[in-house]
Amino acid sequence: MALEWIVPMAIFGAFVSSSGATWMKRQRRLDEGRAKLRANGWVVPVFVRSTFPMDIRGEALVETSLDEASALAAIADCALDAGYERAAAQGITAAYRRGSEWKALSSFDLVDVPSEIALWVESPSPAGRTRIRCVVTYRTNAHYVSDEDVEQSTIEFSSIVRALRPVSITGAPPR
């Protein structure tokens, strides 16, 4: 009888251990992000569209003095540094994806939640500027939205927008 409990207890122990390590990484990432937000000034809010299942969205229209190629390269660098991978998508100038439902099941960190960055270069743009619509979404059936999720997604979205060296930012209303 005792042997029947070894495998379930081992699995449970591994889950608890990995969850603790994930929580510590998340706290460190939040502390670093808070320091960056205070230093850089641009804070672009996200909106909670659903608390459970998790559905968080950030949307902004950014004007930058960077040309289109430089702006897209800056976003690519930021997205790849945050663990995103380039994704193919129709009707979108550039898209990046990260996370999975399986990772989200065993993690309390937003970096493991299925998330997406989508960019559209808007035309026409004012002379000497590039106008980019930037949307970030975090969605999973495995989580509910906590205050830390909102803070972490705001920090991440703000750093993505900040990579464009914005001249102006217009936030989109929640949908």
Side-chain angles (χ1 to χ4, degrees), residues 131-147:
R131 187 177 291 157
I132 297 177
R133 182 171 159 235
C134 183
V135 176
V136 177
T137 56
Y138 304 87
R139 284 190 205 113
T140 182
N141 293 317
H143 282 252
Y144 68 92
V145 176
S146 69
D147 291 341

Side-chain angles (χ1 to χ4, degrees), residues 141-154:
N141 293 317
H143 282 252
Y144 68 92
V145 176
S146 69
D147 291 341
E148 288 84 8
D149 293 325
V150 174
E151 182 179 16
Q152 189 175 355
S153 57
T154 296

Side-chain angles (χ1 to χ4, degrees), residues 46-49 57 59 171-175:
V46 297
F47 304 99
V48 177
R49 297 189 326 172
R57 180 183 178 102
E59 186 171 345
R175 294 184 191 173

Side-chain angles (χ1 to χ4, degrees), residues 1-10:
M1 276 275 220
L3 291 176
E4 294 173 357
W5 287 96
I6 290 176
V7 171
M9 292 304 289

Side-chain angles (χ1 to χ4, degrees), residues 44-46 58-60 134 136 138 153-161:
V44 188
V46 297
E59 186 171 345
C134 183
V136 177
Y138 304 87
S153 57
T154 296
I155 289 168
E156 185 171 272
F157 187 44
S158 296
S159 70
I160 290 165
V161 169

